[in-house]
């Protein structure tokens, strides 16, 4: 209970995308009775431009093992699983070796470092579906089933892996715990702004001069990140848009570069931070194509469980194609907007529910790209 209180006090929020307070999640599992409980680490890392989880697993696997073991001791879980995407063979090899070393050293096993607590873990490999990063689809996949999203409730904290109370956290969330235990909640909380506490590994990719990972306290503006850290575009052309938060994140124009990197500030501008991946585009980007890509991505990756996402995304691609072909563009643009509302409010999970973010932000911030062909040619 003391560990859970410390993690709650630190203000740590989940780094996988939703930014849910980690301590509250752990408290729910701690307070839920179960003959077995699990710690599941989400290392599916499917967002575009992201590689922070991979760097932790390949570079410092023990900090993750330590974080998961602390989570186990705190909540009463005795078994952990790391679900790693198949595209990360080196991370899988390093994690497997590190688990072996930790077991031999007595960190994992029937008695963690001679304490009365048992905790052991296994590394599992996914099969390449983006939706298996969604926590309930991930649990289905871990159980050996096809990765389909489960309806909530029940929450995984109540009925998760094999129906048992389960903590499911992102790699960075769990890897942040040892420093909180070591230096205290107040130390961690001292970094950041508003309700976004601590540091975040920002991953800058796409058409950018200095691509890479930059860890900073929350609160830098988007402009500082793109221009000062990223050095602008690699092509030297003006930045047109940046997509923050993976394939379901909004496209922000330069006019929004004063937005501080903070969960609430991004949400207030219809955007998201997600796993802190940023993809930069120069002024040659066609935002209509990007909007179509978002719908197409959703159609390909949809688990198929709910109608707005399964059918809506395909109808979205078709409707955007009609705009490209110059068929009743205004009517079809209104239809895309209407469809986005249905997907946003009617989808079971954030794959269908957040696909409207890249689509609607493209329409809102870059309306010229959605004009019928002759006007677009004239504008160019
Ligand atoms: C379609 C979809 C894909 C997701 N992919 C990931 C992922 O690759 N890694 C991740 O940590 N969270 C991902 N999430 C978020 C998880 O569902 C969940 O919020 C997260 O594992 C919780 O851990 P956290 O609280 O530590 O962030 C995804 C969510 C959705 C809807
Ligand atoms: S929104 Fe898409 S991915 Fe999510 S449950 Fe519905 S069909 Fe599956």
């Amino acid at each position: 209970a003391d560990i859970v209180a410390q993690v709650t006090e630190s203000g740590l929020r989940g780094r996988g995308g939703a930014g849910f307070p980690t301590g509250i999640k752990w408290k729910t599992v701690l307070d839920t009775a179960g003959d077995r409980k699990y710690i599941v680490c989400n290392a599916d890392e499917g967002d575009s431009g992201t590689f922070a989880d991979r760097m932790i697993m390949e570079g410092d696997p023990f900090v993750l093992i330590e974080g998961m073991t602390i989570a186990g001791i705190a909540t009463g879980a005795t078994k952990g699983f790391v679900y790693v995407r198949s595209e990360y063979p080196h991370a899988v090899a390093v994690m497997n070796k590190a688990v072996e070393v930790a077991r031999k050293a007595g960190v994992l096993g029937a008695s963690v470092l001679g304490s009365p607590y048992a905790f052991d873990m296994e590394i599992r490999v996914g099969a390449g579906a983006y939706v298996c990063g969604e926590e309930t689809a991930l649990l289905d996949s871990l159980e050996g089933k096809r990765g389909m999203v489960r309806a909530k409730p029940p929450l995984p904290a109540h009925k998760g892996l094999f129906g048992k109370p389960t903590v499911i956290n992102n790699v960075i969330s769990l890897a942040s715990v040892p420093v909180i235990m070591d230096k205290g909640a107040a130390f961690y909380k001292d970094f950041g702004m508003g309700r976004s506490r601590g540091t975040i590994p920002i991953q800058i990719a796409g058409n950018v001069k200095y691509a890479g990972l930059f860890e900073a306290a929350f609160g830098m503006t988007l402009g500082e990140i793109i221009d000062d850290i990223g050095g602008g575009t690699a092509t030297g052309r003006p930045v047109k848009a940046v997509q923050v938060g993976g394939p379901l994140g909004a496209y922000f124009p330069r006019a929004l570069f004063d937005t501080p990197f903070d969960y609430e500030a991004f949400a207030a501008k219809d955007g998201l931070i997600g796993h802190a991946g940023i993809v930069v585009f120069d002024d040659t980007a066609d935002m209509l194509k990007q909007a179509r890509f978002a719908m197409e991505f959703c159609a390909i990756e949809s688990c198929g469980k709910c109608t707005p996402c399964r059918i809506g995304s395909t109808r979205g691609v078709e409707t955007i194609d009609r705009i490209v072909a110059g068929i009743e563009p205004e009517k079809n643009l209104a239809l895309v907007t209407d469809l986005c509302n249905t997907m946003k409010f009617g989808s079971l999970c954030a794959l269908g529910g957040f696909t409207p973010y890249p689509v609607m932000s493209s329409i809102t911030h870059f309306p010229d790209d959605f004009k019928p062909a002759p006007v677009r040619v004239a504008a160019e």
Side-chain angles (χ1 to χ4, degrees):
D2 286 347
I3 296 173
V4 173
Q6 280 285 305
V7 173
T8 308
E9 179 54 28
S10 74
L12 177 65
R13 290 166 75 178
R15 301 292 194 246
F20 188 82
T22 307
I24 294 176
K25 193 180 276 189
W26 288 20
K27 177 140 184 21
T28 312
V29 175
L30 171 64
D31 292 345
T32 305
D35 53 350
R36 255 206 120 151
K37 297 183 187 179
Y38 296 103
I39 307 297
V40 173
C41 171
N42 189 340
D44 200 50
E45 197 161 53
D47 282 1
S48 29
T50 59
F51 51 94
D53 297 348
R54 179 170 66 80
M55 284 188 76
I56 284 282
M57 289 187 287
E58 291 179 6
D60 192 358
F62 296 112
V63 81
L64 177 58
I65 292 173
E66 192 179 346
M68 289 180 70
T69 308
I70 293 168
I73 291 171
T75 59
T78 48
K79 179 86 196 232
F81 291 95
V82 184
Y83 185 91
V84 191
R85 68 184 317 202
S86 60
E87 295 89 336
Y88 283 178
H90 299 300
V92 172
V94 173
M95 284 306 302
N96 271 317
K97 181 77 192 162
V99 165
E100 228 176 81
V101 171
R103 221 176 260 145
K104 271 201 195 114
V107 173
L108 295 175
S111 161
V112 172
L113 294 172
S115 73
Y117 302 103
F119 191 76
D120 209 338
M121 56 193 276
E122 278 178 45
I123 312 303
R124 293 290 176 88
V125 183
Y130 180 74
V131 78
C132 284
E134 194 282 335
E135 55 186 15
T136 60
L138 187 154
L139 294 176
D140 264 17
S141 177
L142 260 184
E143 290 179 9
K145 301 172 193 155
R146 173 176 157 183
M148 294 282 281
V149 173
R150 300 177 184 173
K152 291 184 214 164
L155 293 171
H158 292 134
K159 276 187 177 196
L161 188 63
F162 302 113
K164 305 293 179 191
T166 302
V167 166
I168 173 157
N169 273 135
N170 173 256
V171 173
I172 304 292
S173 317
L174 289 160
S176 300
V177 170
V179 74
I180 295 168
M181 293 296 103
D182 184 28
K183 298 192 188 286
F187 170 84
Y188 191 81
K189 202 177 179 176
D190 198 31
F191 296 91
M193 70 170 277
R195 287 178 50 224
S196 306
R197 309 312 312 177
T199 61
I200 177 123
I202 300 165
Q203 302 128 88
I204 316 172
N207 187 344
V208 65
K209 198 165 176 189
Y210 305 118
L213 186 148
F214 184 83
E215 184 172 2
F218 284 96
M220 285 181 81
T221 66
L222 189 55
E224 283 169 333
I225 294 165
I226 305 299
D227 295 330
D228 301 348
I229 311 300
T233 63
T235 50
R237 298 180 69 96
V239 175
K240 178 168 181 175
V242 293
Q243 188 178 29
V244 185
L248 312 175
Y251 288 99
F252 274 19
R254 191 166 266 286
L256 295 182
F257 273 20
D258 60 346
T259 311
F261 217 69
D262 160 74
Y263 291 107
E264 278 66 42
F266 265 67
K269 293 183 180 170
D270 290 328
L272 52 132
I273 282 183
H275 190 48
I278 301 180
V279 182
V280 183
F281 296 81
D282 75 10
D283 61 351
T284 59
D286 181 339
M287 301 314 291
L288 185 144
K289 274 193 189 151
Q290 294 308 121
R292 185 191 189 278
F293 172 73
M295 283 291 189
E296 190 184 27
F297 179 83
C298 182
I300 292 168
E301 299 294 341
S302 170
C303 84
K305 185 150 178 163
C306 69
T307 317
C309 168
R310 185 185 69 244
I311 296 180
S313 52
T314 298
R315 292 292 97 92
V317 172
E318 293 165 358
T319 313
I320 293 174
D321 280 346
R322 280 199 286 277
I323 298 171
V324 176
I327 303 167
E328 299 183 284
E330 275 173 27
K331 195 177 141 200
N332 280 308
L333 198 57
L335 204 56
V336 171
T337 306
D338 190 33
L339 180 60
C340 280
N341 274 324
T342 304
M343 290 174 71
K344 185 172 174 182
F345 298 108
S347 296
L348 187 59
C349 86
L351 180 48
F354 280 52
T355 293
Y357 280 74
V359 177
M360 287 312 299
S361 57
S362 298
I363 294 173
T364 307
H365 301 305
F366 309 95
D368 285 352
D369 287 8
F370 289 79
K371 291 202 172 126
V375 179
R376 294 178 77 208
V377 171
E380 277 159 15

